[in-house]
Amino acid sequence: LLTINALAAADAVLVPVQGQYYALYGVTQLMRTVHLVREELNEELGLLGVVVSLLGRTKLAREVLAEVERFFDRKLFATVLHQSVKVAEAPTRGQSILAYEPHGRSAAEYRQLAEEVLARCRVR
């Protein structure tokens, strides 16, 4: 119910997809829900984009990324958020990755994603 209410009130959805096989199933279910909400409650609801997160260095992760690229094409953000111990550690210190390791690779990825999101919001 909370998801439906949030989608009914939203202008757009940003969908994070983990770089794992079962995440693809979850995205399929979410996109069905978005479609239903668009039809029944909020015809203005759009897909801002899809970002791949927690991407590992395995062959399976590369296959998942290729599948997401194929399915979402232009809606996929160029920035990929890779798996990182530092990202996992930051909340245990009560910090974001930008505060915990501001000059690291993960912080740079999150800044790049933020710039992409802002650019797409301006276009809308």
Side-chain angles (χ1 to χ4, degrees):
L1 187 57
L2 290 175
T3 301
I4 300 298
N5 287 340
L7 292 172
D11 294 326
V13 179
L14 188 153
V15 179
V17 180
Q18 288 185 3
Q20 301 174 6
Y21 175 74
Y22 282 115
L24 296 177
Y25 176 75
V27 169
T28 301
Q29 296 299 102
L30 176 61
M31 295 314 298
R32 284 185 187 143
T33 302
V34 168
H35 180 74
L36 288 171
V37 169
R38 188 180 298 133
E39 283 185 343
E40 301 294 327
L41 300 171
N42 181 0
E43 64 186 29
E44 301 299 318
L45 181 62
L47 177 61
L48 182 65
V50 176
V51 61
V52 176
S53 65
L54 297 174
L55 188 70
R57 299 175 190 250
T58 65
K59 179 181 177 186
L60 177 60
R62 288 189 302 274
E63 290 173 1
V64 169
L65 179 59
E67 189 66 18
V68 172
E69 287 172 340
R70 186 183 69 76
F71 187 76
F72 287 103
D73 191 28
R74 290 186 221 161
K75 288 295 188 177
L76 186 63
F77 286 101
T79 303
V80 173
L81 304 174
H82 292 87
Q83 241 176 5
S84 165
V85 171
K86 297 294 183 182
V87 171
E89 288 174 353
T92 67
R93 305 288 192 265
Q95 297 178 322
S96 72
I97 190 61
L98 299 174
Y100 185 66
E101 190 182 40
H103 303 293
R105 174 184 178 187
S106 295
E109 290 173 347
Y110 276 90
R111 278 192 292 277
Q112 183 178 342
L113 176 61
E115 289 174 11
E116 277 191 85
V117 169
L118 289 172
R120 286 196 191 181
C121 288
R122 281 186 217 111
V123 170
R124 296 191 84 210

